[in-house]
Amino acid sequence: MNNRTLLVALGGNAILQPKQEATFENQLANVTASCRILAKLIRMGYRLIITHGNGPQVGNILRQNEEARQVVPQMPLDVCSAESQGLIGYMIQQAMRNELELLGIDKSVVSIVTRVEVSSDDEAFRNPTKPIGAFYSEEEAQAFMQEKGWIMKEDANRGWRRVVPSPLPLHIIEADVIAKLLNEDQIVIACGGGGIPVVRKPDGTYRGIEAVIDKDHSACKLAQEIGADVLLILTDVDNVYIHYGRPGQRALTRVTPPELERFRREGHFSEGSMQPKIDAASRFADSGGTSIICSLHEADLALEGERGTLIMKAADHA
């Protein structure tokens, strides 16, 4: 038993595969397969916290809100994010408990609806860029901008979509509760979809805000606040690459944050997919932890140093 604390950030493919119909049955099957892999990490002795993306799910919840807006009052974005946390948390909680039962491991699994504090002064609120929800015609988009005050932008000639801010996380509000559950040997699912964005008011209370927080940034912040040993970012590629898909493609196996920053400046990482993972992994490594980016299906091998990309400070590599 190693008793090290591992924060696992599940990519969207762990819940819904590309071009796959978003039925509950399909998503539960994917989650079950993912939990079968994560259960191996419990058997290896790790204490586990699981976070996850929610892009397709919260997008579908928004679509349901929009389609039914004539008969059912629409919910704000922070509430839709909370709904997606419950939906995905339930699937992971049930699938993980079933897999542990099959392995003869007696551990409880609990989901925490998690709020994440952001700053209302974050630059993201002055320049919303994160597209969410359905596509609309220009006429529909103009109507939404007029009626609801939404910011709508054309998205790659496919139609108009709502765009919202994507601020950086400042603090995981339920971090102390998550840490207590972890210390009681619970497996915790938290910060789903990046967490529910809230801002602190002058009187010390919180209110939800219309925004979406990047899942990998929140995973890093949570890992720091609960003192995790390893941040394991699971995705659909086996390594971080430079010159990806081009001549000279090379997998990175061991790398430091300054090296990743140099590769970032050279333009090796896609802003919409790999870059947030790189940023989060580098930040956690800079704070003294170990970060790994790897394929979901090679998670156990990556923790043993046989697969994936390991990110640590230079001194820790020595």
Side-chain angles (χ1 to χ4, degrees):
M1 294 287 286
N2 60 48
N3 265 336
R4 300 182 76 203
T5 300
L6 174 63
L7 194 146
V8 176
L10 285 174
N13 63 307
I15 304 166
L16 190 66
Q17 300 291 326
K19 299 181 180 180
Q20 192 175 37
E21 187 179 4
T23 65
F24 175 75
E25 290 77 15
N26 283 342
Q27 293 178 80
L28 183 60
N30 292 331
V31 167
T32 299
S34 300
C35 287
R36 192 166 299 129
I37 294 166
L38 297 184
K40 295 179 184 178
L41 312 184
I42 298 294
R43 190 165 55 183
M44 290 168 67
Y46 287 96
R47 301 194 307 171
L48 207 62
I49 303 171
I50 304 167
T51 188
H52 56 82
N54 72 341
Q57 292 77 23
V58 78
N60 286 338
I61 291 169
L62 287 165
R63 180 70 181 271
Q64 289 167 344
N65 268 259
E66 292 158 9
E67 293 288 340
R69 64 185 182 275
Q70 302 299 331
V71 292
V72 179
Q74 289 183 265
M75 293 293 111
L77 180 55
D78 55 310
V79 175
C80 293
S81 179
E83 286 185 47
S84 74
Q85 281 194 10
L87 161 70
I88 300 169
Y90 159 62
M91 289 192 290
I92 296 175
Q93 187 171 328
Q94 179 142 290
M96 177 60 79
R97 189 65 190 86
N98 287 342
E99 292 303 317
L100 294 175
E101 186 73 26
L102 293 173
L103 291 175
I105 298 173
D106 185 18
K107 283 183 183 287
S108 296
V109 187
V110 61
S111 301
I112 300 292
V113 175
T114 316
R115 297 167 297 160
V116 177
E117 183 181 351
V118 301
S119 171
S120 57
D121 295 325
D122 193 296
E123 180 64 30
F125 288 103
R126 287 183 283 277
N127 181 32
T129 58
K130 179 71 173 177
I132 61 170
F135 289 91
Y136 296 98
S137 68
E138 184 174 359
E139 182 180 2
E140 290 172 317
Q142 293 294 338
F144 279 130
M145 287 190 279
Q146 185 71 28
E147 294 168 11
K148 299 180 177 296
W150 288 359
I151 298 173
M152 308 286 290
K153 293 183 180 179
E154 194 171 13
D155 187 346
N157 295 318
R158 294 179 294 175
W160 289 68
R161 296 180 78 188
R162 182 184 178 192
V163 293
V164 297
S166 185
L168 290 172
L170 299 178
H171 168 54
I172 311 301
I173 297 174
E174 279 73 35
D176 56 341
V177 176
I178 294 165
K180 287 176 183 176
L181 289 167
L182 190 67
N183 288 333
E184 292 178 6
D185 208 24
Q186 309 282 329
I187 299 167
V188 185
I189 304 157
C191 268
I196 304 163
V198 299
V199 294
R200 192 179 181 92
K201 299 193 292 185
D203 64 1
T205 61
Y206 293 98
R207 66 174 176 86
I209 195 166
E210 298 270 305
V212 172
I213 308 170
D214 184 89
K215 173 261 300 178
D216 296 307
H217 290 315
S218 290
C220 171
K221 178 62 68 174
L222 178 58
Q224 291 171 326
E225 292 193 1
I226 56 91
D229 299 291
V230 180
L231 173 60
L232 181 64
I233 299 177
L234 301 177
T235 183
D236 55 357
V237 294
D238 51 0
N239 283 86
V240 176
Y241 288 87
I242 57 174
H243 303 290
Y244 185 70
R246 303 192 301 270
Q249 174 176 304
R250 176 165 68 89
L252 302 177
T253 54
R254 285 177 168 259
V255 65
T256 64
E259 289 170 331
L260 285 174
E261 174 59 21
R262 175 167 59 85
F263 292 138
R264 184 195 66 79
R265 291 197 304 267
E266 293 172 359
H268 288 285
F269 309 128
S270 170
E271 186 174 333
S273 56
M274 185 55 72
Q275 186 61 57
K277 296 173 175 54
I278 295 293
D279 291 343
S282 294
R283 194 178 303 115
F284 186 66
D286 267 333
S287 66
T290 298
S291 298
I292 301 171
I293 300 175
C294 69
S295 163
L296 166 67
H297 300 287
E298 297 181 332
D300 54 339
L301 296 175
L303 286 167
E304 294 174 346
E306 298 177 16
R307 296 287 191 277
T309 299
L310 177 71
I311 301 103
M312 297 178 70
K313 282 184 175 180
D316 297 326
H317 276 283

